[in-house]
Amino acid sequence: MVNSEFFSADIEGKLKSSFTHSHWEKQTLMIVDDYKSNLEALNALFSSQYTVILKDNAKDAISYATEKNVDLILLDLDMPVMNGYEACRVLKSNPMTAEIPIIFVTASQSADEEEKGLLLGAVDYVVKPVNLSILRARVLNHMELVYYRKKLEVLSCIDGLTGTSNRRQLDIMLQQYCASTIRSGNCLSLLMIDIDDFKSYNDTYGHIEGDECLKLVAQTMMSVRRRETDIIGRYGGEEFAVILPETDAKGGLLIANEILNRIRKLNIEHTHSSAESIVTVSIGLATFIAENDSPQEINFEDFIHQADLQMYKAKASGKNCISHVSLKTEVAKST
């Protein structure tokens, strides 16, 4: 498609106008077109609102989207080597990119072509010459949908009381980390943490104070977190979990002891505790040690069970302490 046909003549002069919409400025818009002038024009139109990524071929666009965050793709249909339809098919077949909305931009006004694009999974279909005001509005509408979808996804992963990950997210992340640990031949540590005698705390101080206690304990555990990849969440009731990828037993014990001591230092009164007169926790630590020289499997539910067993051992040992175990492949396999 020749470049002169890309934009409607009556509004081509608006290209250098500055549009702002601060709510969406951090979202990422990828524009894929084999004409440099088209890329430059669309960059001028959208760069004040979004982080704009420009690609002049579909293969590079797919590679980028697989590795980096992209919120929306404007995809030219008529490109050499790989056209827009083929690129859309590849993106939608990959779980890493399947959720990225795609707006086709094409010179074809065929209803059959539009139907084909939409059936492939595109969210919209824009015909050249492009009306810039309409294109900008469509992109904004789809970006808003992306924003709220991602916001709902985040909320669905968060425990409403403590602000940490909820059980659903913990299970998902633990499954992913188990798989990646086996692939990398590394270690994975899991802490299961239970507030000692929390029922008696609620009975003594009331559920409002109990909720405040849970929040403080959660905040304290979050303050111990050292890496973005470490996951901390509420597993249920007064029980929490900490997932520590690429962490051996020694590293897991360091984190566990820091959590134990920081919670003690909160000095939250607990007169009916059987461990201390303050709020304490019992911690179970299980570390999975992957071995590169043998086929392996690890069932995340068994892994949780092993960490839970250690937590119960800590309870049986007088509470306010840590119990731990290292798991070889044969111990961690599902039975």
Side-chain angles (χ1 to χ4, degrees):
M1 191 65 190
V2 296
N3 179 57
S4 61
E5 295 179 357
F6 190 85
F7 298 107
S8 300
D10 60 328
I11 55 172
E12 192 168 354
K14 296 183 179 179
L15 280 176
K16 298 189 182 297
S17 298
S18 175
F19 302 105
T20 58
H21 195 310
S22 60
H23 192 55
W24 315 113
E25 63 186 0
K26 292 185 179 180
Q27 288 182 292
T28 300
L29 172 66
M30 178 185 285
I31 302 170
V32 189
D33 195 298
D34 57 323
Y35 280 94
K36 182 179 178 181
S37 55
N38 290 345
L39 291 174
E40 292 174 346
L42 288 175
N43 184 51
L45 178 67
F46 289 113
S47 60
S48 63
Q49 295 171 273
Y50 313 108
T51 298
V52 177
I53 305 300
L54 304 176
K55 297 295 177 183
D56 62 5
N57 68 87
K59 288 188 175 180
D60 286 349
I62 292 169
S63 177
Y64 184 95
T66 303
E67 297 176 2
K68 303 288 182 66
N69 175 66
V70 176
D71 291 301
L72 179 66
I73 299 175
L74 278 179
L75 182 59
D76 184 33
L77 200 53
D78 307 309
M79 292 184 293
V81 184
M82 179 184 288
N83 64 36
Y85 290 140
E86 294 169 346
C88 182
R89 189 178 291 108
V90 172
L91 289 164
K92 293 303 177 182
S93 65
N94 186 342
M96 298 291 291
T97 55
E99 297 299 319
I100 303 174
I102 295 172
I103 299 177
F104 277 131
V105 181
T106 177
S108 175
Q109 299 187 30
S110 165
D112 290 340
E113 292 293 306
E114 181 174 359
E115 180 185 15
K116 180 180 178 181
L118 295 175
L119 288 175
L120 280 173
V123 296
D124 213 334
Y125 190 95
V126 177
V127 177
K128 301 175 185 177
V130 175
N131 182 305
L132 298 185
S133 297
I134 292 176
L135 178 62
R136 189 173 70 251
R138 288 186 177 186
V139 167
L140 177 61
N141 287 340
H142 288 297
M143 282 295 201
E144 287 179 346
L145 291 174
V146 169
Y147 173 82
Y148 287 114
R149 174 175 59 78
K150 289 189 173 183
K151 187 173 182 179
L152 286 172
E153 287 174 355
V154 170
L155 290 174
S156 72
C157 297
I158 299 298
D159 175 62
L161 178 65
T162 64
T164 61
S165 296
N166 60 19
R167 179 166 179 168
R168 173 179 176 272
Q169 179 69 357
L170 286 167
D171 285 346
I172 290 171
M173 295 307 299
L174 187 57
Q175 288 186 70
Q176 292 179 1
Y177 280 139
C178 283
S180 63
T181 298
I182 291 172
R183 287 196 302 269
S184 64
N186 215 310
C187 299
L188 174 65
S189 288
L190 173 65
L191 308 180
M192 297 302 289
I193 304 167
D194 192 76
I195 301 176
D196 296 323
D197 300 310
F198 191 68
K199 183 180 183 304
S200 64
Y201 185 92
N202 272 334
D203 292 342
T204 303
Y205 302 100
H207 288 282
I208 293 177
E209 286 299 318
D211 286 349
E212 291 303 313
C213 177
L214 289 170
K215 292 177 187 177
L216 280 172
V217 169
Q219 290 168 9
T220 301
M221 289 190 292
M222 288 296 291
S223 71
V224 176
R225 184 170 179 247
R226 297 180 179 180
R227 303 171 301 177
E228 288 295 321
T229 51
D230 296 342
I231 307 296
I232 297 172
R234 185 182 178 194
Y235 204 70
E238 68 274 17
E239 189 172 5
F240 294 84
V242 179
I243 306 172
L244 304 170
E246 300 183 9
T247 303
D248 59 15
K250 182 179 179 181
L253 281 170
L254 285 173
I255 297 296
N257 274 297
E258 192 167 354
I259 289 173
L260 194 76
N261 292 326
R262 288 201 189 186
I263 290 174
R264 286 171 178 159
K265 288 179 180 179
L266 291 174
N267 285 315
I268 302 172
E269 182 184 280
H270 189 355
T271 56
H272 288 81
S273 171
S274 60
E276 297 282 346
S277 58
I278 57 174
V279 168
T280 58
V281 295
S282 295
I283 302 177
L285 164 64
T287 300
F288 171 65
I289 305 169
E291 298 171 343
N292 284 318
D293 57 353
S294 63
Q296 299 172 71
E297 59 181 281
I298 178 173
N299 184 293
F300 86 102
E301 292 176 339
D302 291 343
F303 193 27
I304 293 170
H305 178 63
Q306 292 293 333
D308 259 333
L309 286 178
Q310 295 306 308
M311 185 186 71
Y312 293 133
K313 286 184 179 180
K315 294 282 189 185
S317 298
K319 304 174 183 177
N320 189 25
C321 63
I322 303 163
S323 180
H324 64 96
V325 66
S326 292
L327 308 172
K328 297 291 185 179
T329 304
E330 61 270 14
V331 178
K333 281 183 179 179
S334 177
T335 57

